[in-house]
Amino acid sequence: MRETDDKLRRLAYLDAMGIQVWQGRDVVPVDEPDLAEDVRAGAIQGAVAGTACGAMPDLPTWEMLQGQVAACQQCDLYRQRTQAVFGVGSRQAQWLIVGEAPGADEDRQGEPFVGRAGQLLNLMLQAIGLSREEVYIANIVKCRPPNNRDPRQEEMAACSVYLKAQIQLIQPRIILAVGRVAAHHLLHTQQKVGALRGQSHRYGETDIPVVVTYHPAYLLRSPQEKRKAWEDLLFARQLLTQ
Ligand code: URA
């Protein structure tokens, strides 16, 4: 009974996302087995050392890190921010969702992905049975770039130490990079999102798999691509069961 309810709920989320699911011969696998509650591997060893930019040799506590981000003036973005947007979710999350940078809504509310793109991200997560509360959501850059421009290299470099520390603290089992900016920064590549999808990449020198998908803001402009994003999430979820 619970399985049926779950399936119906996921179908409803997919419907809300604008993804039509046909039942029948081409049934879309909405109800694969739940993810095993694996013991979380200590895979992150060396994550900070393994990637470029920034120096934070000792792992800070969450409180220290949050304080550092709130007071950060390492690049010019602090001048126009309402507040830094640290990250949200479970500190024990298996999934880390990484976006680009806060927009106007996030800058105002102090939380990542709370605008329209965030609402779609919530639906995407729910469609694979994940709530926003059980994942962790963070951005490459913690302060809003003016006029929603892309973050600059020097801004990402200045901020990367914070995401690195968040990854070390959380030790996620998977990282979902949403959009080009996050994918390029995490994977040190310039390849298009379309070419990066469908593969299990690695974060730095660690064993943490990185899956790339489209940014929900892009999906709002190109709803015909939502199905691909859903496939990416299913692919990521499948990686966790291996
Ligand atoms: N887009 C992002 O990449 N991050 C946010 O927090 C909001 C929109």
Side-chain angles (χ1 to χ4, degrees):
M1 182 62 182
R2 206 185 127 235
E3 254 176 45
T4 314
D5 287 349
D6 282 353
K7 184 171 175 180
L8 288 174
R9 190 154 32 83
R10 284 178 204 184
L11 286 171
Y13 287 130
L14 287 170
D15 191 46
M17 282 173 66
I19 297 175
Q20 212 179 347
V21 179
W22 288 274
Q23 300 292 317
R25 213 151 55 86
D26 296 323
V27 172
V28 183
V30 288
D31 55 355
E32 297 97 307
D34 282 344
L35 295 177
E37 274 297 321
D38 291 354
V39 177
R40 287 143 56 77
I44 193 82
Q45 295 297 334
V48 166
T51 41
C53 310
M56 193 178 279
D58 298 319
L59 192 57
T61 63
W62 278 104
E63 288 64 35
M64 283 163 58
L65 187 61
Q66 202 151 2
Q68 285 167 352
V69 170
C72 182
Q73 299 189 353
Q74 293 296 314
C75 77
D76 278 345
L77 291 181
Y78 82 90
R79 295 181 191 279
Q80 294 184 49
R81 74 182 173 214
T82 305
Q83 58 197 313
V85 178
F86 181 70
V88 72
S90 166
R91 294 173 177 180
Q92 284 82 42
Q94 294 195 339
W95 291 69
L96 172 64
I97 318 295
V98 179
E100 175 179 330
D105 294 313
E106 291 75 21
D107 175 69
R108 212 176 304 116
Q109 295 185 41
E111 185 172 323
F113 282 103
V114 288
R116 279 187 68 223
Q119 285 162 20
L120 179 55
L121 178 64
N122 293 347
L123 288 172
M124 290 163 64
L125 294 171
Q126 284 161 350
I128 58 156
L130 289 172
S131 71
R132 185 176 167 93
E133 292 70 34
E134 69 190 290
V135 304
Y136 197 89
I137 306 176
N139 284 310
I140 300 287
V141 163
K142 310 300 189 204
C143 298
R144 182 191 181 202
N147 305 318
N148 296 335
R149 66 159 169 75
D150 284 357
R152 298 190 174 126
Q153 276 310 324
E154 66 271 19
E155 293 160 353
M156 292 191 278
C159 222
S160 68
V161 66
Y162 300 132
L163 181 64
K164 236 179 269 176
Q166 284 173 311
I167 294 173
Q168 274 210 308
L169 285 165
I170 297 166
Q171 302 194 14
R173 289 197 53 218
I174 194 152
I175 298 175
L176 183 72
V178 298
R180 170 182 52 87
V181 171
H184 286 185
H185 184 79
L186 289 172
L187 300 176
H188 304 286
T189 178
Q190 292 297 313
Q191 280 189 285
K192 293 189 165 181
V193 169
L196 295 167
R197 291 181 53 242
Q199 298 165 56
S200 175
H201 306 273
R202 298 278 141 191
Y203 171 68
E205 304 294 309
T206 75
D207 287 334
I208 304 173
V210 178
V211 169
V212 175
T213 192
Y214 295 110
H215 195 287
Y218 168 77
L219 295 175
L220 288 171
R221 297 191 301 272
S222 310
Q224 73 281 2
E225 304 286 44
K226 285 181 184 172
R227 174 173 286 272
K228 289 188 191 162
W230 183 46
E231 286 164 7
D232 296 336
L233 291 185
L234 290 177
F235 172 66
R237 191 174 72 167
Q238 196 208 335
L239 287 180
L240 281 188
T241 63
Q242 286 172 0

